[in-house]
Amino acid sequence: MARLNDEVGALLQEYSDLLLLTGGDAYRARSYEKAARSVGGHPEDLARLDAEGLQAIPGVGRSTAEKITEYLGTGRVAAVDALRAKVPPGVREIMAIPTVGPKKAALVHRELGVSTVDELLDAARAGRLDDLPGLGARTAENIVHGIEVLRQGGGRVLISTALALAEEIAAAVREASGCERCTWAGSLRRMRETVGDVDVLAAADDSAPLTAALTGHPLTAEVLGSGTTKTSVRTTRGLQVDLRVVPAEDWGAGLVYFTGSKAHNVKLRARAVRAGLKLSEYGLFEADGGRKLASRTEEDVYEALGLPWIPPTLREDRGEIEDALNGELGQPVTEQDVRGDLHTHTDLTDGLAPLEEMLAAAHRRRWSYVAVTDHAPNLAMQRMTDAKMLAQREQLQALQGSFGRMRLLHGTELNIDPDGGVDWPPEFLAGFDLCVASIHSAFTLDRAAQTRRLVRACENPYVHVIGHPTTRLLGRRAPIDADFDEVFAAAARTGTVLEVNASPERLDLGDELIIAAHRHGVRFAVNTDAHATVHLDNLRFGVATAQRGRLAAEEVVNTWPLQKLRRFLKADLKRAPG
């Protein structure tokens, strides 16, 4: 289940969209959009706040606070329901299509009578959007592509959504009488970027109390099937949860069986068969006599198969079994390896928390260093100026030592222009400890142009990190079209770090591109791109993605001690002209 704050933030964002969709005041809609971001990023649980506490959240006024209070008390907001009633459900679905949004959805509904995604797809393909004001043939192409992106999701949800749901349900099952152990398995335990359903595994002699805990949970909307070893439900969020119960002595075998991908498990079972054995969720057995050889722990099962334990994030049948047999599996990076974050934002631009709050939250994570990287001026909506950035630098310098031994680095997130240029001249860029450069616009340039702009950014001596390199937003925006092998070669050649952005909406680079980049000898940084203090917790998703990309700690620069990191950043600047 989503955090309450995220849930309320999503509701306020929907209200903002509905206001625009129904012709409401644009300024009022923007104010609710701002409130939605503030509420979602607020670190304190809304349920603990009174009206005064709610209005202390930036962007939340009396009217917004009243709507939040109404939702907390009733689970509904009358004003939102009233606007929903004015808009056909299909039009609301149209708003979710990448590149569409409420204004275009309102336009096609008003001018063409389009009320469903299928009708919009037909209209775009038939050229009926070409003559609408502000649209045109290129926009129609983007809408068709956006519908394809949306449908490729196939009902899957972000890993953060699935994990929050799994944590809540597993906690309830653990409290059930007789439950000895409980956790999640499947694609969620492998930490895939999106999840189609949630597998929960528990150990108990009697499954009945555990089953009751699931079927009676407030999040359960429908029981799809129930038996002694497996119960399936559909939750109020539409996600299916399968609870499987095994005896405690078979816990390890159950975890192996229900965690690995189908292909990984097929190879394990084939290995067992070749050894005259049989592998199931209840253990590894002799095929003839049926004697159980291993089942209590995962390590026992893998060892009995002649393999070292393989981390869950690697169990995809991408060579991990062969590497394990050859002693080449390595030790993947862990969250404990990370010494600091090289990409964070404050309320100086589009972040939600003031500088000192972000630094305090980073310090609570016991990091050795953190970089503050607010947006640069070419992203005009952020209203950055030279004076604002220099004032922030002075503030950081004054705060050095205020957070124990954690060192405060001053950076910026530059904008990679369509031609590959970035904000600020070299003499200004030279004053930063590090510069992240990212694409924030012109997502539809052709392959050659996108490749050139990224390569040129890598070649800029003041760019240390390329942020969220493909620009994708999972389920909302496809990656840009670029020759990433050429980009990776340029990054390796110039010593430019590529980011593994830990935001669960991005996870960019993704695991397969990490593997491809690693072959070129690229260095990486796992960063949160945090815009609120709670976003720092997203680090675990970035680390999991790095693990899936087979990265070891030494290949991730923000696992390095500060002195080594500083030497690396300064060495990069030796490529500066002159």
Side-chain angles (χ1 to χ4, degrees):
M1 183 178 180
R3 292 173 61 243
L4 175 62
N5 295 32
D6 293 333
E7 190 176 319
V8 174
L11 184 74
L12 295 176
Q13 180 62 58
E14 181 187 2
Y15 187 54
S16 170
D17 292 341
L18 288 169
L19 284 170
L20 291 175
L21 193 58
T22 54
D25 181 69
Y27 177 81
R28 186 165 174 242
R30 284 195 297 272
S31 70
Y32 276 100
E33 182 176 13
K34 181 179 179 181
R37 293 181 61 249
S38 292
V39 166
H42 193 65
E44 191 171 357
D45 191 333
L46 295 184
R48 300 175 182 173
L49 301 178
D50 57 14
E52 184 178 351
L54 290 173
Q55 291 184 61
I57 300 173
V60 175
R62 180 176 59 82
S63 178
T64 306
E66 289 174 354
K67 289 179 175 63
I68 295 173
T69 301
E70 181 183 356
Y71 182 77
L72 295 179
T74 68
R76 309 182 69 86
V77 175
V80 177
D81 289 343
L83 289 185
R84 284 173 176 164
K86 294 181 179 181
V87 180
V91 177
R92 297 206 300 271
E93 291 176 9
I94 288 172
M95 287 193 305
I97 297 169
T99 76
V100 177
K103 290 183 179 179
K104 291 176 184 174
L107 178 65
V108 297
H109 179 58
R110 183 177 65 249
E111 299 294 330
L112 302 177
V114 168
S115 298
T116 69
V117 174
D118 284 336
E119 289 176 359
L120 178 61
L121 183 60
D122 290 342
R125 287 174 170 167
R128 295 170 59 208
L129 306 185
D130 296 1
D131 296 327
L132 292 181
L135 297 186
R138 186 59 183 269
T139 301
E141 291 177 10
N142 292 338
I143 287 174
V144 171
H145 182 64
I147 293 172
E148 292 171 350
V149 169
L150 195 65
R151 289 180 171 174
Q152 284 170 2
R156 299 177 71 85
V157 302
L158 298 179
I159 187 174
S160 53
T161 300
L163 185 59
L165 176 73
E167 286 175 335
E168 187 161 349
I169 286 181
V173 172
R174 288 189 197 103
E175 293 298 316
S177 174
C179 181
E180 297 192 32
R181 304 183 75 166
C182 182
T183 191
W184 45 91
S187 58
L188 181 57
R189 189 167 180 241
R190 300 198 307 276
M191 297 295 276
R192 291 195 59 179
E193 57 202 27
T194 61
V195 174
D197 52 45
V198 172
D199 293 302
V200 175
L201 181 69
D205 293 329
D206 180 7
S207 65
L210 286 64
T211 299
L214 174 61
T215 58
H217 197 283
L219 288 174
T220 294
E222 177 186 5
V223 178
L224 303 176
S226 184
T228 57
T229 62
K230 179 183 176 181
T231 296
S232 298
V233 304
R234 189 167 305 282
T235 67
T236 55
R237 296 291 181 266
L239 201 61
Q240 181 171 323
V241 175
D242 296 331
L243 172 65
R244 302 174 188 271
V245 182
V246 297
E249 61 268 22
D250 299 331
W251 173 255
L255 268 183
V256 171
Y257 192 88
F258 292 117
T259 294
S261 71
K262 180 178 179 180
H264 177 90
N265 287 351
V266 164
K267 281 198 171 179
L268 289 184
R269 289 197 295 272
R271 185 170 178 80
V273 168
R274 288 195 297 270
L277 306 173
K278 178 182 177 182
L279 179 64
S280 74
E281 64 265 46
Y282 299 108
L284 183 66
F285 300 85
E286 291 179 342
D288 296 333
R291 184 170 66 92
K292 185 184 295 187
L293 302 179
S295 66
R296 185 165 293 277
T297 70
E298 286 190 307
E299 290 82 355
D300 290 344
V301 174
Y302 276 102
E303 183 179 1
L305 287 169
L307 292 165
W309 179 78
I310 298 176
T313 47
L314 301 186
R315 301 179 196 176
E316 295 285 1
D317 187 30
R318 294 194 294 204
E320 70 277 2
I321 293 176
E322 293 78 4
D323 286 348
L325 286 169
N326 295 329
E328 298 173 356
L329 193 60
Q331 178 62 46
V333 62
T334 68
E335 193 171 350
Q336 290 69 40
D337 293 323
V338 175
R339 295 174 184 257
D341 197 335
L342 303 181
H343 187 175
T344 68
H345 295 273
T346 75
D347 64 356
L348 183 62
T349 53
D350 61 343
L352 300 176
L355 176 64
E356 291 193 50
E357 286 186 18
M358 287 298 292
L359 296 177
H363 183 245
R364 287 194 292 272
R365 299 187 69 91
R366 299 183 179 180
W367 281 338
S368 299
Y369 46 83
V370 65
V372 177
T373 55
D374 277 311
H375 287 286
N378 287 1
L379 201 62
M381 67 184 71
Q382 305 305 336
R383 300 179 181 178
M384 177 55 73
T385 65
D386 296 11
K388 285 182 179 179
M389 189 57 84
L390 292 174
Q392 185 184 67
R393 184 173 300 165
E394 290 183 3
Q395 188 179 3
L396 274 171
Q397 291 169 348
L399 288 169
Q400 291 285 1
S402 300
F403 299 94
R405 295 184 178 181
M406 185 177 75
R407 299 299 296 172
L408 314 181
L409 306 179
H410 192 224
T412 183
E413 184 179 13
L414 303 167
N415 306 286
I416 303 176
D417 294 337
D419 65 356
V422 298
D423 323 61
W424 282 313
E427 57 270 19
F428 196 89
L429 294 177
F432 290 102
D433 292 311
L434 83 158
C435 294
V436 178
S438 309
I439 291 176
H440 294 111
S441 62
F443 303 116
T444 59
L445 292 178
D446 63 37
R447 184 178 182 86
Q450 296 286 23
T451 304
R452 279 196 304 272
R453 75 194 292 203
L454 282 169
V455 169
R456 187 180 174 202
C458 289
E459 291 172 345
N460 187 313
Y462 296 98
V463 170
H464 301 97
V465 181
I466 301 294
H468 44 77
T470 78
T471 80
R472 73 175 183 178
L473 292 173
L474 291 166
R476 292 165 51 202
R477 185 170 70 216
I480 58 171
D481 183 16
D483 182 344
F484 280 102
D485 271 324
E486 186 175 339
V487 174
F488 298 155
R493 182 180 72 250
T494 59
T496 306
V497 174
L498 297 183
E499 180 177 75
V500 179
N501 189 293
S503 168
E505 295 183 341
R506 293 187 183 273
L507 298 180
D508 182 11
L509 290 171
D511 53 6
E512 292 184 358
L513 284 181
I514 292 171
I515 291 171
H518 185 249
R519 295 192 190 107
H520 287 272
V522 170
R523 299 286 190 181
F524 302 85
V526 180
N527 296 324
T528 65
D529 192 5
H531 285 66
T533 57
V534 294
H535 296 165
L536 296 176
D537 293 335
N538 290 337
L539 180 66
R540 60 177 168 174
F541 303 123
V543 168
T545 301
Q547 290 177 350
R548 291 176 56 81
R550 305 291 292 271
L551 293 184
E554 59 268 20
E555 293 154 340
V556 177
V557 300
N558 52 322
T559 68
W560 297 352
L562 180 61
Q563 285 187 326
K564 180 179 179 180
L565 177 64
R566 282 192 182 278
R567 286 196 302 269
F568 177 79
L569 297 175
K570 289 179 180 178
D572 197 43
L573 287 178
K574 291 178 183 177
R575 296 183 286 108

